[in-house]
Amino acid sequence: FNNPEGVFSPETFNTLFLKVSKSLSLFKQLSYCEIRTYSTNHLLSEVNVFKESINSKETQILPEDFFDAAFSLKPDKSKFVEAMNWLPQINIVNLESMQISGHILEGTQNYSIFNTNMSNAMFCYRQVKASDEGIYALWSGQPWQNASDDIGYNYIHVFNWDGKFISNVKLDEPIAKIYLDCTNNILYGWFAERQILYTYNLSDFVE
């Protein structure tokens, strides 16, 4: 195992998620998540959404990055969601049953893109945040060469916890980061290039 690639802040104070890469061979890695207690670093469980990596000799993207994703924990701690960078797909993990369900948007990029050199690939989800009522994913949909936090992203995809696509919300201004205030039902959008913080009422995101 190598060092964790990153720690993402949980929406609770006692649970820590780490994204870790497991070396399967010299040139083959597979990422998974560890769930640990924040205070004692005790391993609670491991979650492997994908069991096998994809080998590709043509791609411009490192194969170990194919399944990269952003994560968010449901506030009641029963589930977490990941929104994938290179696929228009969210994966929902039930932390009680450990059942995993994947939900991909139809008519867009699919797994066949990994069998190409990825020159025509689009960058999909940048971030995701979750409330007990829904899932809010920051969507790019741009060619990966053009996708950047400097440019920002103009869409939020809303899902329910069954993985059903609820709405595609077009934002008036680009943002690069999202933060969720479940207490006040507000989603914040941050765009560092302009040093502007936007606020959105979550009730406006449901058609």
Side-chain angles (χ1 to χ4, degrees):
F1 299 94
N2 64 5
N3 293 326
E5 293 180 354
V7 178
F8 58 96
S9 300
E11 286 77 2
T12 60
F13 291 106
N14 62 347
T15 308
L16 180 69
F17 286 69
L18 300 116
K19 185 179 179 185
V20 180
S21 288
K22 179 180 181 181
S23 294
L24 303 178
S25 66
L26 184 60
F27 301 105
K28 192 175 180 182
Q29 293 182 329
L30 187 64
S31 296
Y32 68 98
C33 290
E34 289 184 351
I35 304 172
R36 294 179 175 269
T37 57
Y38 188 83
S39 57
T40 63
N41 198 32
H42 175 68
L43 180 63
L44 299 175
S45 60
E46 294 181 354
V47 180
N48 296 284
V49 175
F50 296 96
K51 306 299 183 183
E52 297 290 338
S53 63
I54 295 176
N55 289 323
S56 177
K57 298 180 180 179
E58 305 295 331
T59 177
Q60 300 179 45
I61 307 299
L62 292 174
E64 55 263 35
D65 294 338
F66 286 167
F67 297 145
D68 277 358
F71 303 80
S72 190
L73 179 69
K74 189 177 181 184
D76 69 7
K77 308 177 193 176
S78 64
K79 299 177 180 179
F80 81 83
V81 60
E82 64 172 24
M84 301 186 68
N85 296 163
W86 298 105
L87 287 171
Q89 177 170 321
I90 65 167
N91 304 307
I92 297 173
V93 180
N94 187 315
L95 294 173
E96 297 168 352
S97 66
M98 299 309 291
Q99 181 178 359
I100 302 170
S101 60
H103 310 271
I104 192 167
L105 298 180
E106 295 182 0
T108 56
Q109 189 165 285
N110 58 41
Y111 285 82
S112 64
I113 195 69
F114 298 137
N115 296 319
T116 73
N117 65 8
M118 298 285 283
S119 61
N120 295 321
M122 67 178 176
F123 188 77
C124 297
Y125 291 110
R126 175 64 179 86
Q127 268 193 305
V128 64
K129 297 296 177 182
S131 69
D132 283 330
E133 290 71 37
I135 297 164
Y136 311 91
L138 184 59
W139 171 256
S140 170
Q142 298 297 314
W144 67 269
Q145 300 92 334
N146 300 333
S148 152
D149 287 2
D150 295 338
I151 299 173
Y153 315 96
N154 286 87
Y155 293 90
I156 300 287
H157 286 179
V158 183
F159 301 84
N160 66 20
W161 279 104
D162 293 323
K164 180 181 179 182
F165 183 84
I166 302 299
S167 61
N168 177 27
V169 180
K170 188 178 189 302
L171 307 176
D172 292 333
E173 300 291 340
I175 59 176
K177 303 283 185 180
I178 55 176
Y179 307 90
L180 185 59
D181 179 354
C182 293
T183 301
N184 296 300
N185 212 35
I186 292 174
L187 186 77
Y188 294 95
W190 172 248
F191 192 35
E193 284 294 301
R194 299 180 184 175
Q195 294 290 295
I196 297 177
L197 183 69
Y198 300 94
T199 60
Y200 311 97
N201 191 315
L202 292 183
S203 60
D204 295 334
F205 284 7
V206 180
E207 296 177 346

